[in-house]
Amino acid sequence: MLPALVFLALAAFAAALLWSPHAGRAAALHLILAVGAMPLIFGAMNHFIPVLTRTRIAATGLLSLPILALAGGALVVGALSLPDLFWGRYAGALLAVAAASALLVWSRRRRAGMLGRPHPCLAWYEAALACLVVALFAILASAIWPQQTIALRRLHLHLNTLGFVGMTAVSTLAVLLPTVAGRPDQEVGPRLRRDLPWAVAGTLLVAIGSAWFGPLAWIGGALWAIPLARLGASWLRLYRTEILALHGAAPLLAAALVGLALSMIFGAMAPMTAAGWFRPTEPALAFVSGFMPPLVSGAASQLLPVWLRPGVQSSWHAKLRDSLGRYGGVRAVLFCFGGIAAGMDHEWGLLLGAATLVWFLLQASAALLQALIIREGNPS
Ligand code: HEM
């Protein structure tokens, strides 16, 4: 199911980036975030939580959670594009709350039932899911508290982008890049443990601050900068060669970290642009074209082979990984340019992000086709 969710997410990203200049902004953003990213994150958590807790793989019933989340995401896109479907935003929120809460409860049970301590990445995933649940309750709350709709929308936006997606992404990146490079970073676990309070406090302050009291958001942004700077500094020290390479997943994962930092910087500049000091910035557009696409395409380049054929790793996996990562460095640079341009409200930034994604989708389809033919011919 995970490979299907990866392709669904990438196709949703490309379609939304191409569609966004013509569609309603909120609908296009939710096609990326709620239809593309949310079910994929749920699927990835289904896969990683047993690894982090050293417990058995998830039962098949749990696979329904990404589908429930997908149904919620599709409903909200419908509701934001068609006025007649206004109720869909609340129905979509309820479906997604049900899926996120079930995943969170399951994760807590796995934690309680395991031997020893879980990997610290698990606490990041649980914090991310808690942010999503609160973010969705904010949408439900706006139905009974309409005079707070604008504040609650801001709360929802930041809890989802920095909290749900940001915390899932940063913790996964911290573990994934050393795997991609094939050289462990002994500091990953302790650093994740140390940085979680900064990320949680940063997310809450940005969300509450932007909803009700602006100065708190600045403090929150500064707190979030701590984990990002520590992770970036350790990557530059340990994995500079892999990050600056022409091929592979590492440049894309590093580009994702840069994209997340850039969208936060654009967000911090928003009050100054509102005062007319600079041209308007679009942090959400930098997020969806400079951060999400390199994150998902980079992670997919590394993980698709394992997800397609779990178990003992062979030359089949290595070859497929090479094909998926070919020219990853060029795509990383293009995604960075696209993210900066989109964040500065240039439409071509979204189109550049979409074109780069379509390139990856075509390359990945050809690589998978070839790998499956080799697999048919040689089952080892
Ligand atoms: C099924 C779940 C979801 C529901 C029901 C929902 C609902 C909504 C609604 C009603 C709005 C206000 C739209 C407007 O004012 O025009 C909104 C805004 C927003 N939501 Fe969601 N949302 C969901 C999931 C997500 C997720 C998973 C993310 C991010 C990971 C997200 C990010 C955002 C952003 C960035 C905005 C601001 C859009 C803008 O600036 O125009 N939402 N959401």
Side-chain angles (χ1 to χ4, degrees):
M1 176 187 235
L2 263 170
L5 288 173
V6 169
F7 273 90
L8 172 74
L10 291 171
F13 290 5
L17 291 174
L18 289 169
W19 179 46
S20 55
H22 316 285
R25 168 199 162 93
L29 283 176
H30 283 82
L31 185 52
I32 297 179
L33 297 166
V35 169
M38 183 168 59
L40 175 60
I41 292 178
F42 279 33
M45 286 185 178
N46 270 349
H47 171 84
F48 285 125
I49 288 173
V51 178
L52 298 170
T53 51
R54 300 180 296 281
T55 50
R56 64 186 188 287
I57 59 166
T60 20
L62 228 79
L63 299 179
S64 57
L65 296 184
I67 295 172
L68 198 61
L70 177 61
L75 260 176
V76 69
V77 171
L80 292 170
S81 356
L82 307 167
D84 287 349
L85 266 184
F86 189 85
W87 55 270
R89 58 181 67 197
Y90 304 119
L94 280 174
L95 290 185
V97 162
S101 311
L103 196 54
L104 185 53
V105 169
W106 176 70
S107 173
R108 298 298 299 178
R109 286 213 182 123
R110 281 289 166 109
R111 173 193 282 275
M114 74 173 291
L115 290 174
R117 284 174 87 187
H119 191 284
C121 189
L122 186 71
W124 283 72
Y125 283 2
E126 290 174 352
L129 284 171
C131 283
L132 174 63
V133 171
V134 180
L136 293 168
F137 272 116
I139 295 298
L140 295 172
S142 64
I144 43 178
W145 207 7
Q147 66 279 25
Q148 288 292 332
T149 298
I150 293 178
L152 290 168
R153 175 184 160 280
R154 289 193 184 136
L155 193 78
H156 165 85
L157 181 173
H158 290 100
L159 284 176
N160 264 336
T161 48
L162 295 184
F164 172 52
V165 180
M167 287 206 274
T168 307
V170 167
S171 53
T172 307
L173 284 172
V175 178
L176 195 56
L177 189 66
T179 313
V180 168
R183 279 179 290 116
D185 171 2
Q186 305 300 341
E187 270 299 295
V188 168
R191 199 176 47 241
L192 280 176
R193 209 166 275 126
R194 239 185 2 249
D195 283 345
L196 180 60
W198 297 111
V200 170
T203 303
L204 293 178
L205 289 180
V206 171
I208 295 170
S210 66
W212 291 290
F213 185 61
L216 283 185
W218 287 80
I219 303 174
L223 296 188
W224 238 118
I226 297 170
L228 292 186
R230 278 189 185 145
L231 182 60
S234 95
W235 280 6
L236 283 179
R237 207 176 54 247
L238 296 171
Y239 306 117
R240 196 174 318 162
T241 317
E242 287 83 358
I243 287 172
L244 297 178
L246 178 62
H247 304 293
L252 288 157
L253 300 181
L257 190 68
V258 172
L260 179 61
L262 274 174
S263 54
M264 288 192 196
I265 293 170
F266 282 130
M269 286 166 69
M272 295 179 242
T273 60
W277 294 0
F278 303 105
R279 62 174 286 133
T281 55
E282 284 287 0
L285 300 185
F287 190 88
V288 294
S289 66
F291 165 57
M292 302 294 303
L295 173 72
V296 176
S297 59
S301 307
Q302 174 66 21
L303 295 169
L304 264 181
V306 197
W307 287 344
L308 280 167
R309 216 174 170 185
V312 180
Q313 298 296 291
S314 64
S315 60
W316 182 87
H317 296 86
K319 259 194 210 127
L320 176 55
R321 204 165 277 134
D322 283 350
S323 312
L324 291 170
R326 190 152 304 130
Y327 295 111
V330 179
R331 281 194 295 278
V333 173
L334 295 177
F335 281 134
C336 275
F337 279 129
I340 294 171
M344 293 172 77
D345 204 17
H346 293 295
E347 192 183 308
W348 64 264
L350 299 175
L351 299 178
L352 179 60
T356 314
L357 258 182
V358 171
W359 171 16
F360 176 71
L361 271 169
L362 293 175
Q363 181 174 321
S365 307
L368 287 179
L369 212 63
Q370 201 182 11
L372 293 176
I373 292 167
I374 293 173
R375 184 181 173 177
E376 294 300 315
N378 171 15
S380 71

